[in-house]
Coordinates of all heavy atoms in Angstrom, one line a residue:
M159 N -66.8 -109.7 -227.3 CA -67.5 -109.8 -228.6 C -66.9 -110.9 -229.5 O -65.7 -111.1 -229.5 CB -67.4 -108.5 -229.3 CG -68.1 -108.4 -230.6 SD -67.9 -106.8 -231.4 CE -69.6 -106.4 -231.7
I160 N -67.8 -111.7 -230.1 CA -67.3 -112.8 -231.0 C -66.9 -112.2 -232.3 O -67.6 -111.4 -232.9 CB -68.4 -113.8 -231.1 CG1 -68.8 -114.4 -229.8 CG2 -68.0 -114.9 -232.1 CD1 -70.0 -115.3 -229.8
K161 N -65.7 -112.7 -232.7 CA -65.2 -112.2 -234.0 C -65.6 -113.2 -235.1 O -65.8 -114.3 -234.9 CB -63.7 -112.1 -234.0 CG -63.1 -111.1 -233.0 CD -61.6 -111.1 -233.1 CE -61.0 -110.2 -232.1 NZ -59.6 -110.3 -232.1
Y162 N -65.7 -112.6 -236.3 CA -66.1 -113.4 -237.5 C -65.1 -114.5 -237.7 O -65.5 -115.7 -238.0 CB -66.2 -112.5 -238.7 CG -66.4 -113.2 -240.0 CD1 -67.7 -113.6 -240.3 CD2 -65.4 -113.5 -240.9 CE1 -67.9 -114.3 -241.5 CE2 -65.6 -114.2 -242.1 CZ -66.9 -114.6 -242.4 OH -67.1 -115.3 -243.5
E163 N -63.8 -114.2 -237.5 CA -62.8 -115.2 -237.7 C -62.9 -116.4 -236.7 O -62.7 -117.6 -237.0 CB -61.4 -114.6 -237.5 CG -61.0 -113.6 -238.6 CD -61.5 -112.2 -238.3 OE1 -62.0 -111.9 -237.2 OE2 -61.5 -111.4 -239.3
D164 N -63.3 -116.1 -235.5 CA -63.5 -117.1 -234.5 C -64.7 -118.1 -234.9 O -64.6 -119.3 -234.7 CB -63.8 -116.5 -233.1 CG -62.6 -115.8 -232.5 OD1 -61.5 -116.1 -232.9 OD2 -62.9 -114.9 -231.6
I165 N -65.7 -117.5 -235.4 CA -66.9 -118.3 -235.9 C -66.5 -119.2 -237.0 O -66.8 -120.3 -237.1 CB -68.0 -117.3 -236.3 CG1 -68.6 -116.6 -235.1 CG2 -69.1 -118.1 -237.0 CD1 -69.6 -115.5 -235.4
V166 N -65.7 -118.6 -238.0 CA -65.2 -119.4 -239.1 C -64.3 -120.6 -238.6 O -64.5 -121.7 -239.1 CB -64.5 -118.5 -240.1 CG1 -63.8 -119.3 -241.2 CG2 -65.4 -117.5 -240.8
K167 N -63.4 -120.3 -237.7 CA -62.6 -121.4 -237.1 C -63.4 -122.4 -236.5 O -63.2 -123.6 -236.6 CB -61.6 -120.8 -236.1 CG -60.4 -120.0 -236.7 CD -59.5 -119.5 -235.7 CE -58.4 -118.6 -236.3 NZ -57.6 -118.0 -235.2
R168 N -64.4 -122.0 -235.7 CA -65.3 -123.0 -235.0 C -66.0 -123.9 -236.0 O -66.1 -125.1 -235.8 CB -66.3 -122.2 -234.1 CG -66.0 -122.3 -232.7 CD -67.0 -121.6 -231.9 NE -67.7 -122.5 -231.0 CZ -68.6 -122.2 -230.2 NH1 -69.0 -120.9 -230.1 NH2 -69.1 -123.0 -229.4
I169 N -66.5 -123.2 -237.0 CA -67.2 -124.0 -238.1 C -66.3 -125.0 -238.7 O -66.6 -126.1 -239.0 CB -67.9 -123.0 -239.1 CG1 -69.0 -122.3 -238.5 CG2 -68.3 -123.8 -240.3 CD1 -69.6 -121.2 -239.3
A170 N -65.1 -124.6 -239.0 CA -64.1 -125.4 -239.6 C -63.8 -126.6 -238.7 O -63.7 -127.8 -239.2 CB -62.8 -124.7 -240.0
N171 N -63.6 -126.4 -237.4 CA -63.3 -127.4 -236.5 C -64.5 -128.4 -236.4 O -64.3 -129.6 -236.3 CB -63.1 -126.8 -235.1 CG -61.7 -126.3 -235.0 OD1 -60.8 -126.6 -235.7 ND2 -61.5 -125.3 -234.0
I172 N -65.7 -127.9 -236.4 CA -66.9 -128.7 -236.3 C -67.0 -129.6 -237.6 O -67.3 -130.8 -237.5 CB -68.2 -127.9 -236.1 CG1 -68.2 -127.3 -234.7 CG2 -69.4 -128.7 -236.4 CD1 -69.2 -126.2 -234.5
E173 N -66.7 -129.0 -238.7 CA -66.7 -129.8 -240.0 C -65.6 -130.9 -239.9 O -65.9 -132.0 -240.4 CB -66.4 -128.9 -241.2 CG -67.6 -128.0 -241.6 CD -68.7 -128.8 -242.1 OE1 -68.5 -129.8 -242.8 OE2 -69.9 -128.4 -241.9
K174 N -64.5 -130.6 -239.4 CA -63.4 -131.7 -239.3 C -63.9 -132.8 -238.4 O -63.7 -134.0 -238.7 CB -62.1 -131.1 -238.7 CG -61.4 -130.2 -239.7 CD -60.1 -129.7 -239.1 CE -59.4 -128.7 -240.0 NZ -58.2 -128.1 -239.4
K175 N -64.5 -132.4 -237.3 CA -65.0 -133.4 -236.3 C -66.1 -134.3 -237.0 O -66.2 -135.5 -236.8 CB -65.6 -132.8 -235.1 CG -64.5 -132.3 -234.1 CD -65.1 -131.6 -232.9 CE -64.0 -131.1 -232.0 NZ -64.6 -130.4 -230.8
K176 N -67.0 -133.6 -237.8 CA -68.0 -134.3 -238.5 C -67.5 -135.3 -239.4 O -67.9 -136.5 -239.5 CB -68.9 -133.3 -239.2 CG -70.0 -133.9 -240.0 CD -70.8 -132.9 -240.8 CE -71.8 -133.6 -241.7 NZ -72.3 -132.7 -242.8
I177 N -66.4 -134.9 -240.2 CA -65.8 -135.9 -241.1 C -65.2 -137.0 -240.4 O -65.4 -138.2 -240.8 CB -64.8 -135.1 -242.0 CG1 -65.5 -134.1 -242.9 CG2 -63.9 -136.1 -242.8 CD1 -64.6 -133.2 -243.7
K178 N -64.5 -136.8 -239.3 CA -63.9 -137.8 -238.5 C -64.9 -138.8 -238.0 O -64.8 -140.0 -238.0 CB -63.0 -137.3 -237.4 CG -61.7 -136.7 -237.8 CD -60.9 -136.2 -236.7 CE -59.6 -135.5 -237.1 NZ -58.8 -135.0 -236.0
N179 N -66.0 -138.2 -237.5 CA -67.1 -139.0 -236.9 C -67.7 -139.9 -238.0 O -68.1 -141.0 -237.8 CB -68.1 -138.1 -236.2 CG -67.7 -137.6 -234.9 OD1 -66.8 -138.2 -234.3 ND2 -68.3 -136.5 -234.4
E180 N -67.9 -139.3 -239.2 CA -68.5 -140.1 -240.3 C -67.6 -141.2 -240.7 O -68.1 -142.3 -240.9 CB -68.8 -139.2 -241.5 CG -70.0 -138.2 -241.2 CD -70.1 -137.2 -242.3 OE1 -69.2 -137.0 -243.1 OE2 -71.2 -136.6 -242.4
E181 N -66.3 -141.0 -240.7 CA -65.3 -142.1 -241.0 C -65.4 -143.1 -239.9 O -65.3 -144.3 -240.2 CB -63.9 -141.5 -241.1 CG -63.7 -140.6 -242.4 CD -62.4 -139.9 -242.4 OE1 -61.6 -140.0 -241.4 OE2 -62.1 -139.2 -243.4
R182 N -65.5 -142.7 -238.7 CA -65.5 -143.6 -237.6 C -66.8 -144.5 -237.6 O -66.8 -145.7 -237.4 CB -65.4 -142.9 -236.3 CG -65.3 -143.8 -235.1 CD -64.8 -143.0 -233.9 NE -64.7 -143.9 -232.7 CZ -65.4 -143.7 -231.6 NH1 -66.2 -142.7 -231.4 NH2 -65.2 -144.6 -230.6
I183 N -67.9 -143.8 -237.9 CA -69.2 -144.5 -238.1 C -69.1 -145.6 -239.2 O -69.6 -146.7 -239.0 CB -70.3 -143.6 -238.3 CG1 -70.6 -142.8 -237.1 CG2 -71.6 -144.3 -238.9 CD1 -71.6 -141.6 -237.3
K184 N -68.4 -145.2 -240.3 CA -68.3 -146.1 -241.4 C -67.5 -147.4 -241.0 O -67.9 -148.5 -241.3 CB -67.6 -145.5 -242.6 CG -67.5 -146.3 -243.8 CD -66.8 -145.6 -245.0 CE -66.6 -146.6 -246.1 NZ -65.8 -146.0 -247.2
I185 N -66.4 -147.1 -240.3 CA -65.5 -148.2 -239.9 C -66.3 -149.1 -238.9 O -66.2 -150.4 -239.0 CB -64.2 -147.7 -239.2 CG1 -63.3 -147.1 -240.3 CG2 -63.5 -148.8 -238.5 CD1 -62.2 -146.3 -239.8
L186 N -67.0 -148.5 -237.9 CA -67.7 -149.3 -236.9 C -68.8 -150.1 -237.5 O -69.1 -151.2 -237.1 CB -68.2 -148.4 -235.8 CG -67.1 -147.8 -234.9 CD1 -67.7 -146.7 -233.9 CD2 -66.4 -148.8 -234.1
S187 N -69.5 -149.5 -238.5 CA -70.5 -150.2 -239.2 C -70.0 -151.4 -240.0 O -70.6 -152.5 -240.0 CB -71.2 -149.2 -240.2 OG -71.9 -148.2 -239.5
E188 N -68.9 -151.3 -240.6 CA -68.2 -152.4 -241.3 C -67.9 -153.5 -240.3 O -68.1 -154.7 -240.5 CB -67.0 -151.9 -242.1 CG -67.4 -151.1 -243.3 CD -66.1 -150.4 -244.0 OE1 -65.0 -150.6 -243.4 OE2 -66.3 -149.8 -245.0
E189 N -67.3 -153.1 -239.2 CA -66.9 -154.1 -238.1 C -68.2 -154.7 -237.6 O -68.2 -156.0 -237.4 CB -66.2 -153.4 -237.0 CG -64.8 -153.0 -237.3 CD -64.1 -152.3 -236.1 OE1 -64.7 -152.2 -235.0 OE2 -63.0 -151.7 -236.4
N190 N -69.3 -154.0 -237.4 CA -70.5 -154.5 -237.0 C -71.1 -155.6 -238.0 O -71.6 -156.6 -237.6 CB -71.5 -153.4 -236.7 CG -72.8 -153.9 -236.1 OD1 -72.8 -154.7 -235.2 ND2 -73.9 -153.5 -236.7
N191 N -71.0 -155.3 -239.2 CA -71.4 -156.2 -240.3 C -70.6 -157.5 -240.2 O -71.2 -158.6 -240.4 CB -71.3 -155.6 -241.7 CG -72.4 -154.5 -241.9 OD1 -73.4 -154.4 -241.2 ND2 -72.1 -153.6 -242.8
V192 N -69.3 -157.4 -240.1 CA -68.5 -158.6 -240.0 C -68.8 -159.4 -238.7 O -69.0 -160.6 -238.8 CB -67.0 -158.2 -239.9 CG1 -66.1 -159.4 -239.6 CG2 -66.6 -157.6 -241.3
L193 N -69.0 -158.7 -237.6 CA -69.4 -159.4 -236.4 C -70.7 -160.1 -236.5 O -70.9 -161.2 -236.0 CB -69.3 -158.5 -235.2 CG -68.0 -158.0 -234.8 CD1 -68.1 -156.9 -233.7 CD2 -67.1 -159.1 -234.3
T194 N -71.7 -159.4 -237.1 CA -73.0 -160.0 -237.3 C -73.0 -161.2 -238.2 O -73.6 -162.2 -237.9 CB -74.0 -158.9 -237.9 OG1 -74.0 -157.8 -237.1 CG2 -75.3 -159.5 -238.2
T195 N -72.2 -161.2 -239.3 CA -72.0 -162.3 -240.1 C -71.4 -163.5 -239.4 O -71.9 -164.6 -239.5 CB -71.2 -161.9 -241.4 OG1 -71.8 -160.9 -242.1 CG2 -71.0 -163.1 -242.3
N196 N -70.3 -163.2 -238.6 CA -69.7 -164.2 -237.9 C -70.6 -164.8 -236.8 O -70.6 -166.1 -236.6 CB -68.4 -163.7 -237.2 CG -67.3 -163.4 -238.2 OD1 -67.3 -164.0 -239.3 ND2 -66.3 -162.6 -237.8
L197 N -71.4 -164.0 -236.2 CA -72.4 -164.5 -235.2 C -73.4 -165.4 -235.9 O -73.7 -166.5 -235.3 CB -73.1 -163.3 -234.5 CG -74.1 -163.7 -233.4 CD1 -73.4 -164.5 -232.3 CD2 -74.7 -162.5 -232.9
K198 N -73.9 -165.0 -237.0 CA -74.8 -165.9 -237.7 C -74.2 -167.2 -238.1 O -74.8 -168.3 -237.9 CB -75.3 -165.2 -239.0 CG -76.3 -164.1 -238.8 CD -76.7 -163.4 -240.1 CE -77.6 -162.2 -239.8 NZ -78.0 -161.5 -241.1
L199 N -73.0 -167.2 -238.6 CA -72.3 -168.5 -238.9 C -72.1 -169.3 -237.6 O -72.3 -170.6 -237.7 CB -70.9 -168.2 -239.5 CG -71.0 -167.6 -240.9 CD1 -69.6 -167.2 -241.4 CD2 -71.5 -168.7 -241.9
L200 N -71.7 -168.7 -236.5 CA -71.5 -169.5 -235.3 C -72.8 -170.1 -234.8 O -72.9 -171.2 -234.3 CB -70.9 -168.6 -234.2 CG -69.4 -168.2 -234.4 CD1 -69.0 -167.2 -233.4 CD2 -68.6 -169.5 -234.3
N201 N -73.9 -169.3 -234.9 CA -75.2 -169.9 -234.5 C -75.6 -171.0 -235.4 O -76.2 -172.0 -234.9 CB -76.3 -168.8 -234.6 CG -76.2 -167.9 -233.4 OD1 -75.9 -168.3 -232.3 ND2 -76.6 -166.6 -233.5
Q202 N -75.3 -170.9 -236.7 CA -75.7 -172.1 -237.6 C -74.9 -173.3 -237.2 O -75.4 -174.4 -237.2 CB -75.4 -171.7 -239.1 CG -76.3 -170.7 -239.7 CD -75.9 -170.2 -241.1 OE1 -74.8 -170.5 -241.5 NE2 -76.8 -169.5 -241.7
K203 N -73.6 -173.1 -236.9 CA -72.7 -174.2 -236.5 C -73.2 -174.8 -235.2 O -73.3 -176.0 -235.0 CB -71.3 -173.8 -236.4 CG -70.6 -173.5 -237.7 CD -69.2 -173.1 -237.5 CE -68.5 -172.9 -238.9 NZ -67.1 -172.5 -238.8
K204 N -73.6 -173.9 -234.3 CA -74.2 -174.4 -233.0 C -75.4 -175.3 -233.2 O -75.5 -176.4 -232.6 CB -74.5 -173.2 -232.1 CG -75.1 -173.6 -230.8 CD -75.5 -172.4 -230.0 CE -76.4 -172.8 -228.8 NZ -77.2 -171.7 -228.3
E205 N -76.3 -174.8 -234.1 CA -77.5 -175.6 -234.3 C -77.2 -176.9 -235.0 O -77.8 -177.9 -234.7 CB -78.4 -174.7 -235.3 CG -79.1 -173.6 -234.6 CD -79.8 -172.6 -235.5 OE1 -80.0 -173.0 -236.7 OE2 -80.3 -171.6 -235.0
M206 N -76.2 -176.9 -235.9 CA -75.8 -178.1 -236.6 C -75.2 -179.1 -235.5 O -75.6 -180.3 -235.5 CB -74.7 -177.8 -237.6 CG -74.3 -179.0 -238.4 SD -72.9 -178.7 -239.6 CE -71.6 -178.3 -238.4
F207 N -74.4 -178.6 -234.6 CA -73.8 -179.5 -233.6 C -74.9 -180.0 -232.6 O -74.9 -181.2 -232.2 CB -72.7 -178.8 -232.8 CG -71.4 -178.7 -233.6 CD1 -70.8 -177.5 -233.8 CD2 -70.8 -179.9 -234.1 CE1 -69.6 -177.4 -234.5 CE2 -69.6 -179.8 -234.8 CZ -69.0 -178.6 -235.0
E208 N -75.9 -179.2 -232.3 CA -76.9 -179.6 -231.4 C -77.8 -180.7 -232.1 O -78.2 -181.7 -231.5 CB -77.8 -178.4 -231.1 CG -77.2 -177.5 -230.1 CD -78.0 -176.2 -229.8 OE1 -79.0 -176.0 -230.6 OE2 -77.7 -175.5 -228.9
K209 N -78.0 -180.6 -233.4 CA -78.7 -181.6 -234.2 C -77.9 -182.9 -234.2 O -78.5 -184.0 -234.0 CB -79.0 -181.1 -235.6 CG -79.6 -182.1 -236.6 CD -81.0 -181.9 -236.8 CE -81.6 -182.8 -237.8 NZ -81.7 -184.2 -237.5
M210 N -76.6 -182.8 -234.5 CA -75.8 -184.0 -234.5 C -75.8 -184.7 -233.2 O -75.8 -185.9 -233.1 CB -74.3 -183.6 -234.9 CG -74.2 -183.2 -236.4 SD -72.6 -182.5 -236.8 CE -71.5 -183.9 -236.4
D211 N -75.7 -183.9 -232.1 CA -75.7 -184.4 -230.7 C -77.0 -185.2 -230.5 O -77.0 -186.3 -229.9 CB -75.5 -183.3 -229.7 CG -75.3 -183.8 -228.3 OD1 -74.5 -184.7 -228.2 OD2 -75.9 -183.2 -227.4
Q212 N -78.1 -184.6 -230.9 CA -79.4 -185.2 -230.7 C -79.5 -186.5 -231.5 O -80.0 -187.5 -231.1 CB -80.6 -184.3 -231.1 CG -81.9 -184.9 -230.8 CD -82.1 -185.2 -229.3 OE1 -81.8 -184.4 -228.4 NE2 -82.6 -186.4 -229.0
D213 N -79.0 -186.4 -232.8 CA -79.0 -187.6 -233.6 C -78.2 -188.8 -233.0 O -78.6 -189.9 -233.1 CB -78.5 -187.3 -235.0 CG -79.5 -186.4 -235.8 OD1 -80.6 -186.3 -235.4 OD2 -79.0 -185.9 -236.9
L214 N -77.0 -188.4 -232.5 CA -76.2 -189.4 -231.9 C -76.9 -190.0 -230.6 O -76.8 -191.2 -230.4 CB -74.8 -188.8 -231.5 CG -73.8 -188.6 -232.6 CD1 -72.6 -187.8 -232.1 CD2 -73.4 -189.9 -233.2
A215 N -77.5 -189.1 -229.8 CA -78.2 -189.6 -228.7 C -79.3 -190.6 -229.1 O -79.5 -191.6 -228.4 CB -78.8 -188.4 -227.9
D216 N -80.0 -190.2 -230.1 CA -81.1 -191.1 -230.6 C -80.5 -192.4 -231.1 O -81.1 -193.5 -230.8 CB -81.9 -190.4 -231.8 CG -82.7 -189.2 -231.3 OD1 -82.9 -189.1 -230.1 OD2 -83.1 -188.4 -232.2
L217 N -79.4 -192.4 -231.8 CA -78.8 -193.7 -232.3 C -78.4 -194.5 -231.1 O -78.6 -195.8 -231.1 CB -77.6 -193.4 -233.2 CG -77.9 -192.9 -234.6 CD1 -76.6 -192.5 -235.3 CD2 -78.5 -194.1 -235.4
I218 N -77.7 -193.9 -230.1 CA -77.3 -194.7 -229.0 C -78.5 -195.3 -228.2 O -78.4 -196.5 -227.8 CB -76.4 -193.8 -228.0 CG1 -75.1 -193.4 -228.7 CG2 -76.2 -194.5 -226.7 CD1 -74.3 -192.4 -228.0
S219 N -79.5 -194.5 -228.1 CA -80.7 -195.0 -227.4 C -81.3 -196.2 -228.2 O -81.7 -197.2 -227.6 CB -81.7 -193.9 -227.3 OG -82.9 -194.3 -226.8
D220 N -81.4 -196.0 -229.5 CA -81.9 -197.1 -230.4 C -81.1 -198.4 -230.3 O -81.6 -199.5 -230.2 CB -82.0 -196.7 -231.8 CG -83.1 -195.6 -232.1 OD1 -84.0 -195.4 -231.2 OD2 -83.1 -195.0 -233.1
K221 N -79.8 -198.2 -230.2 CA -78.9 -199.4 -230.1 C -79.0 -200.1 -228.8 O -79.0 -201.3 -228.7 CB -77.4 -199.0 -230.4 CG -77.2 -198.7 -231.8 CD -75.7 -198.6 -232.1 CE -75.5 -198.4 -233.6 NZ -74.2 -198.5 -234.0
K222 N -79.2 -199.3 -227.7 CA -79.4 -199.9 -226.4 C -80.7 -200.7 -226.3 O -80.8 -201.7 -225.7 CB -79.4 -198.8 -225.3 CG -78.0 -198.2 -225.0 CD -78.1 -197.2 -223.9 CE -76.7 -196.7 -223.6 NZ -76.7 -195.6 -222.5
K223 N -81.7 -200.1 -226.9 CA -83.0 -200.8 -227.0 C -82.9 -202.1 -227.7 O -83.5 -203.1 -227.4 CB -84.1 -199.9 -227.6 CG -84.5 -198.8 -226.7 CD -85.6 -197.9 -227.4 CE -85.9 -196.7 -226.5 NZ -86.9 -195.8 -227.2
A224 N -82.2 -202.1 -228.9 CA -82.0 -203.3 -229.7 C -81.2 -204.4 -229.0 O -81.5 -205.5 -229.1 CB -81.3 -202.9 -231.0
V225 N -80.2 -204.0 -228.2 CA -79.4 -204.9 -227.4 C -80.2 -205.5 -226.3 O -80.1 -206.7 -226.0 CB -78.1 -204.3 -226.9 CG1 -77.4 -205.2 -225.9 CG2 -77.2 -203.8 -228.0
V226 N -81.0 -204.8 -225.7 CA -81.8 -205.3 -224.5 C -82.9 -206.3 -225.0 O -83.1 -207.3 -224.4 CB -82.5 -204.1 -223.8 CG1 -83.5 -204.6 -222.8 CG2 -81.5 -203.2 -223.2
H227 N -83.4 -206.1 -226.2 CA -84.5 -207.0 -226.7 C -83.8 -208.1 -227.3 O -83.7 -209.0 -227.6 CB -85.4 -206.3 -227.6 CG -86.3 -205.2 -226.9 ND1 -85.9 -203.9 -226.9 CD2 -87.4 -205.4 -226.3 CE1 -86.9 -203.3 -226.2 NE2 -87.8 -204.1 -225.8

């Protein structure tokens, strides 16, 4: 037979786990936000470097054409 005290202890344990899980979720959400922000910045930098690379390739191509003519 289940005792009232056992039920109260189980509820208390579940509440503690719930609080720990909520704290963990909060920490992981914050970490996720930081990682998402960093990823966005890295993607912006990647796009910038790709644009610079294309611009340099265009300049080199233009100079080669000018030298040939």
Side-chain angles (χ1 to χ4, degrees):
M159 181 181 234
I160 299 174
K161 296 181 184 176
Y162 176 78
E163 292 83 14
D164 292 339
I165 293 172
V166 171
K167 284 180 186 177
R168 253 180 120 178
I169 291 172
N171 284 337
I172 291 170
E173 284 294 324
K174 286 179 187 177
K175 286 181 183 179
K176 178 184 172 195
I177 291 169
K178 285 182 182 179
N179 284 338
E180 288 171 346
E181 290 172 355
R182 188 164 181 237
I183 288 170
K184 182 181 176 188
I185 290 169
L186 291 173
S187 292
E188 290 171 358
E189 288 178 9
N190 186 46
N191 289 338
V192 168
L193 290 172
T194 300
T195 300
N196 287 341
L197 182 60
K198 286 179 183 177
L199 290 171
L200 287 172
N201 280 331
Q202 288 174 351
K203 288 181 180 182
K204 178 185 170 203
E205 290 172 7
M206 182 184 70
F207 283 125
E208 287 172 348
K209 171 103 172 71
M210 289 172 58
D211 188 44
Q212 185 60 48
D213 290 347
L214 285 172
D216 291 346
L217 282 172
I218 292 170
S219 175
D220 289 346
K221 286 191 178 192
K222 284 183 180 177
K223 287 179 185 176
V225 171
V226 171
H227 290 96

